[in-house]
Amino acid sequence: DVKVTQSSRYLVKRTGEKVFLECVQDMDHENMFWYRQDPGLGLRLIYFSYDVKMKEKGDIPEGYSVSREKKERFSLILESASTNQTSMYLCASSPWRAGTGELFFGEGSRLTVL
Amino acid sequence: GESVGLHLPTLSVQEGDNSIINCAYSNSASDYFIWYKQESGKGPQFIIDIRSNMDKRQGQRVTVLLNKTVKHLSLQIAATQPGDSAVYFCAEVTGANSKLTFGKGITLSVRP
Protein backbone atom coordinates (compact mmCIF):
# COMPACT_ATOMS: atom_id res chain seq x y z
CA ASP A 1 0.00 0.00 0.00
CA VAL A 2 1.26 3.42 -0.90
CA LYS A 3 1.65 5.76 1.99
CA VAL A 4 2.14 9.46 2.61
CA THR A 5 2.66 10.21 6.27
CA GLN A 6 2.29 13.61 7.86
CA SER A 7 3.99 13.75 11.22
CA SER A 8 1.34 15.73 13.11
CA ARG A 9 -2.42 15.46 12.73
CA TYR A 10 -3.17 18.40 15.03
CA LEU A 11 -1.00 21.30 16.11
CA VAL A 12 -1.69 24.42 18.14
CA LYS A 13 0.87 27.20 17.90
CA ARG A 14 1.12 30.83 18.95
CA THR A 15 1.51 33.81 16.65
CA GLY A 16 5.16 34.33 15.77
CA GLU A 17 6.26 30.76 16.42
CA LYS A 18 8.20 28.81 13.83
CA VAL A 19 6.28 25.77 12.65
CA PHE A 20 7.55 22.67 10.87
CA LEU A 21 5.19 20.30 9.08
CA GLU A 22 6.85 17.08 8.02
CA CYS A 23 5.80 14.74 5.25
CA VAL A 24 7.30 11.41 4.25
CA GLN A 25 6.34 9.17 1.34
CA ASP A 26 7.43 5.58 0.80
CA MET A 27 6.69 5.29 -2.92
CA ASP A 28 9.94 6.68 -4.30
CA HIS A 29 8.00 9.45 -6.04
CA GLU A 30 9.87 12.32 -7.62
CA ASN A 31 7.17 14.90 -7.03
CA MET A 32 5.88 16.22 -3.74
CA PHE A 33 3.39 18.96 -2.97
CA TRP A 34 2.02 21.02 -0.11
CA TYR A 35 -1.55 22.28 -0.22
CA ARG A 36 -3.71 24.11 2.25
CA GLN A 37 -7.40 23.46 2.44
CA ASP A 38 -9.91 26.01 3.65
CA PRO A 39 -13.73 25.87 3.62
CA GLY A 40 -15.12 27.37 0.44
CA LEU A 41 -11.68 27.73 -1.11
CA GLY A 42 -10.81 24.13 -1.84
CA LEU A 43 -7.18 23.06 -2.12
CA ARG A 44 -4.59 25.67 -2.93
CA LEU A 45 -1.02 24.84 -3.86
CA ILE A 46 1.65 26.37 -1.62
CA TYR A 47 4.89 24.82 -2.89
CA PHE A 48 5.98 21.81 -4.85
CA SER A 49 9.15 19.94 -5.61
CA TYR A 50 10.13 17.77 -8.55
CA ASP A 51 13.48 16.65 -7.20
CA VAL A 52 15.72 16.72 -4.16
CA LYS A 53 16.81 20.25 -3.28
CA MET A 54 14.45 21.62 -5.87
CA LYS A 55 11.39 23.71 -5.04
CA GLU A 56 8.92 25.85 -6.89
CA LYS A 57 6.32 28.28 -5.69
CA GLY A 58 2.72 27.37 -6.03
CA ASP A 59 -0.23 29.73 -5.99
CA ILE A 60 0.04 30.96 -2.40
CA PRO A 61 3.69 30.72 -1.25
CA GLU A 62 3.73 33.90 0.86
CA GLY A 63 4.57 33.20 4.48
CA TYR A 64 5.85 29.70 3.76
CA SER A 65 9.05 27.98 2.79
CA VAL A 66 9.92 24.35 2.10
CA SER A 67 12.82 21.95 2.34
CA ARG A 68 13.52 18.82 0.29
CA GLU A 69 16.82 17.37 1.49
CA LYS A 70 15.86 13.77 0.77
CA LYS A 71 13.65 12.33 -1.91
CA GLU A 72 11.15 10.88 0.52
CA ARG A 73 10.78 13.91 2.76
CA PHE A 74 9.22 17.31 2.06
CA SER A 75 8.89 19.81 4.88
CA LEU A 76 6.71 22.90 5.05
CA ILE A 77 7.98 25.73 7.23
CA LEU A 78 6.10 28.69 8.63
CA GLU A 79 8.86 31.05 9.72
CA SER A 80 6.54 33.19 11.85
CA ALA A 81 3.06 31.76 12.18
CA SER A 82 0.10 34.07 11.88
CA THR A 83 -3.58 33.52 12.64
CA ASN A 84 -4.47 33.57 8.93
CA GLN A 85 -2.35 30.45 8.52
CA THR A 86 -4.80 28.46 10.62
CA SER A 87 -5.81 25.76 8.17
CA MET A 88 -5.66 22.13 7.12
CA TYR A 89 -2.37 21.34 5.40
CA LEU A 90 -2.18 18.44 2.98
CA CYS A 91 0.97 16.85 1.65
CA ALA A 92 0.91 14.79 -1.53
CA SER A 93 3.28 12.93 -3.79
CA SER A 94 3.06 11.66 -7.34
CA PRO A 95 5.16 9.51 -9.66
CA TRP A 96 7.09 11.23 -12.43
CA ARG A 97 4.74 10.72 -15.32
CA ALA A 98 4.33 13.69 -17.59
CA GLY A 99 0.73 14.39 -18.49
CA THR A 100 -0.77 12.63 -15.51
CA GLY A 101 -1.62 14.20 -12.25
CA GLU A 102 -2.79 11.59 -9.81
CA LEU A 103 -1.69 12.62 -6.35
CA PHE A 104 -1.42 10.47 -3.26
CA PHE A 105 -2.36 12.50 -0.22
CA GLY A 106 -1.53 12.23 3.43
CA GLU A 107 -4.29 12.55 6.01
CA GLY A 108 -3.59 16.18 6.71
CA SER A 109 -2.25 18.34 9.51
CA ARG A 110 -4.71 20.70 11.11
CA LEU A 111 -2.88 23.77 12.37
CA THR A 112 -4.40 26.32 14.71
CA VAL A 113 -2.49 29.54 15.30
CA LEU A 114 -3.60 31.48 18.37
CA GLY B 1 -8.09 34.16 -14.84
CA GLU B 2 -8.32 30.42 -15.31
CA SER B 3 -10.35 28.54 -12.78
CA VAL B 4 -11.97 25.26 -12.00
CA GLY B 5 -15.30 25.50 -10.28
CA LEU B 6 -18.24 23.46 -9.13
CA HIS B 7 -21.82 24.49 -9.79
CA LEU B 8 -23.26 23.76 -6.34
CA PRO B 9 -21.66 23.52 -2.90
CA THR B 10 -23.87 20.67 -1.60
CA LEU B 11 -25.85 17.77 -2.99
CA SER B 12 -28.25 15.56 -1.07
CA VAL B 13 -29.42 12.27 -2.57
CA GLN B 14 -31.46 9.30 -1.44
CA GLU B 15 -29.59 6.07 -0.88
CA GLY B 16 -29.89 3.93 -3.99
CA ASP B 17 -30.41 6.86 -6.35
CA ASN B 18 -27.85 7.99 -8.89
CA SER B 19 -25.77 11.09 -8.11
CA ILE B 20 -24.46 13.60 -10.61
CA ILE B 21 -21.79 16.06 -9.56
CA ASN B 22 -20.95 18.79 -12.04
CA CYS B 23 -17.83 20.81 -12.62
CA ALA B 24 -16.97 23.67 -14.96
CA TYR B 25 -13.47 24.45 -16.09
CA SER B 26 -12.15 27.39 -18.05
CA ASN B 27 -8.64 26.43 -19.14
CA SER B 28 -8.97 25.12 -22.67
CA ALA B 29 -5.33 23.95 -22.55
CA SER B 30 -6.06 21.43 -19.81
CA ASP B 31 -5.57 17.93 -21.11
CA TYR B 32 -6.39 15.75 -18.17
CA PHE B 33 -9.04 15.80 -15.46
CA ILE B 34 -9.37 13.96 -12.19
CA TRP B 35 -12.06 13.46 -9.61
CA TYR B 36 -11.08 13.10 -5.98
CA LYS B 37 -13.13 12.03 -2.98
CA GLN B 38 -12.38 13.27 0.50
CA GLU B 39 -13.98 11.55 3.45
CA SER B 40 -14.16 13.28 6.79
CA GLY B 41 -10.79 13.38 8.52
CA LYS B 42 -8.89 11.99 5.56
CA GLY B 43 -6.92 13.29 2.62
CA PRO B 44 -8.42 13.28 -0.87
CA GLN B 45 -8.35 9.99 -2.75
CA PHE B 46 -8.30 9.45 -6.49
CA ILE B 47 -11.58 8.20 -7.96
CA ILE B 48 -11.33 8.38 -11.72
CA ASP B 49 -9.62 10.35 -14.44
CA ILE B 50 -10.21 11.25 -18.05
CA ARG B 51 -8.05 12.65 -20.81
CA SER B 52 -9.20 15.44 -23.05
CA ASN B 53 -9.32 13.13 -26.08
CA MET B 54 -12.11 11.14 -24.43
CA ASP B 55 -15.77 11.93 -23.80
CA LYS B 56 -16.57 9.26 -21.25
CA ARG B 57 -14.85 6.88 -18.92
CA GLN B 58 -16.36 4.30 -16.61
CA GLY B 59 -15.16 2.81 -13.40
CA GLN B 60 -16.80 0.76 -10.73
CA ARG B 61 -20.17 2.50 -10.14
CA VAL B 62 -18.69 5.78 -11.36
CA THR B 63 -18.68 7.43 -14.76
CA VAL B 64 -16.96 10.64 -15.77
CA LEU B 65 -18.26 12.64 -18.71
CA LEU B 66 -16.30 15.38 -20.43
CA ASN B 67 -17.88 17.97 -22.70
CA LYS B 68 -15.09 20.04 -24.16
CA THR B 69 -17.45 22.23 -26.15
CA VAL B 70 -18.89 23.78 -23.01
CA LYS B 71 -15.92 22.94 -20.76
CA HIS B 72 -17.97 20.81 -18.45
CA LEU B 73 -17.06 17.72 -16.44
CA SER B 74 -19.41 15.51 -14.48
CA LEU B 75 -19.12 12.59 -12.12
CA GLN B 76 -21.97 10.12 -12.01
CA ILE B 77 -22.28 7.68 -9.12
CA ALA B 78 -24.67 4.79 -9.62
CA ALA B 79 -26.74 3.42 -6.74
CA THR B 80 -25.36 5.90 -4.23
CA GLN B 81 -24.44 4.39 -0.88
CA PRO B 82 -23.88 5.92 2.56
CA GLY B 83 -20.15 5.37 2.08
CA ASP B 84 -20.26 7.77 -0.85
CA SER B 85 -20.91 10.67 1.52
CA ALA B 86 -17.87 12.90 1.16
CA VAL B 87 -16.55 16.05 -0.43
CA TYR B 88 -15.81 15.63 -4.14
CA PHE B 89 -13.24 17.70 -5.99
CA CYS B 90 -12.65 17.99 -9.68
CA ALA B 91 -9.17 18.93 -10.76
CA GLU B 92 -7.58 19.83 -14.06
CA VAL B 93 -4.04 19.13 -15.12
CA THR B 94 -2.18 21.59 -17.28
CA GLY B 95 1.32 21.58 -18.66
CA ALA B 96 4.13 19.08 -18.88
CA ASN B 97 4.79 19.30 -15.16
CA SER B 98 1.30 18.07 -14.31
CA LYS B 99 0.28 20.93 -12.10
CA LEU B 100 -3.17 20.36 -10.69
CA THR B 101 -5.77 23.03 -10.11
CA PHE B 102 -8.58 21.95 -7.82
CA GLY B 103 -12.16 23.08 -7.71
CA LYS B 104 -13.65 24.24 -4.43
CA GLY B 105 -15.36 20.96 -3.63
CA ILE B 106 -18.96 19.81 -3.32
CA THR B 107 -20.38 17.91 -0.38
CA LEU B 108 -22.42 14.83 -1.22
CA SER B 109 -24.82 13.76 1.52
CA VAL B 110 -26.61 10.43 1.22
CA ARG B 111 -29.99 10.11 2.97
CA PRO B 112 -30.85 6.64 4.30
Short mmCIF file of all heavy atoms in Angstrom, two decimals, chain A residues 13 53 80 85 100 106:
data_model
loop_
_atom_site.label_atom_id
_atom_site.label_comp_id
_atom_site.label_asym_id
_atom_site.label_seq_id
_atom_site.Cartn_x
_atom_site.Cartn_y
_atom_site.Cartn_z
N LYS A 13 -0.30 26.36 17.76
CA LYS A 13 0.87 27.20 17.90
C LYS A 13 0.44 28.64 18.20
O LYS A 13 -0.71 29.02 18.00
CB LYS A 13 1.72 27.17 16.62
CG LYS A 13 2.24 25.79 16.27
CD LYS A 13 3.29 25.34 17.24
CE LYS A 13 3.86 23.98 16.87
NZ LYS A 13 4.89 23.52 17.83
N LYS A 53 16.24 18.91 -3.33
CA LYS A 53 16.81 20.25 -3.28
C LYS A 53 16.20 21.19 -4.31
O LYS A 53 16.71 22.28 -4.54
CB LYS A 53 18.34 20.22 -3.43
CG LYS A 53 19.03 19.49 -2.29
CD LYS A 53 20.53 19.75 -2.29
CE LYS A 53 21.21 18.92 -1.22
NZ LYS A 53 20.80 19.36 0.14
N SER A 80 7.16 32.43 10.77
CA SER A 80 6.54 33.19 11.85
C SER A 80 5.03 33.05 11.68
O SER A 80 4.41 33.77 10.90
CB SER A 80 6.97 34.65 11.79
OG SER A 80 6.34 35.39 12.80
N GLN A 85 -2.90 31.71 8.99
CA GLN A 85 -2.35 30.45 8.52
C GLN A 85 -2.99 29.25 9.23
O GLN A 85 -2.59 28.10 9.03
CB GLN A 85 -0.83 30.42 8.70
CG GLN A 85 -0.14 31.40 7.76
CD GLN A 85 1.36 31.44 7.94
OE1 GLN A 85 1.85 31.59 9.07
NE2 GLN A 85 2.10 31.32 6.85
N THR A 100 0.19 13.18 -16.48
CA THR A 100 -0.77 12.63 -15.51
C THR A 100 -0.65 13.44 -14.24
O THR A 100 0.34 14.10 -13.99
CB THR A 100 -0.49 11.16 -15.21
OG1 THR A 100 0.75 11.06 -14.50
CG2 THR A 100 -0.40 10.36 -16.48
N GLY A 106 -1.53 12.61 2.04
CA GLY A 106 -1.53 12.23 3.43
C GLY A 106 -2.87 12.59 4.06
O GLY A 106 -3.77 13.12 3.39
#
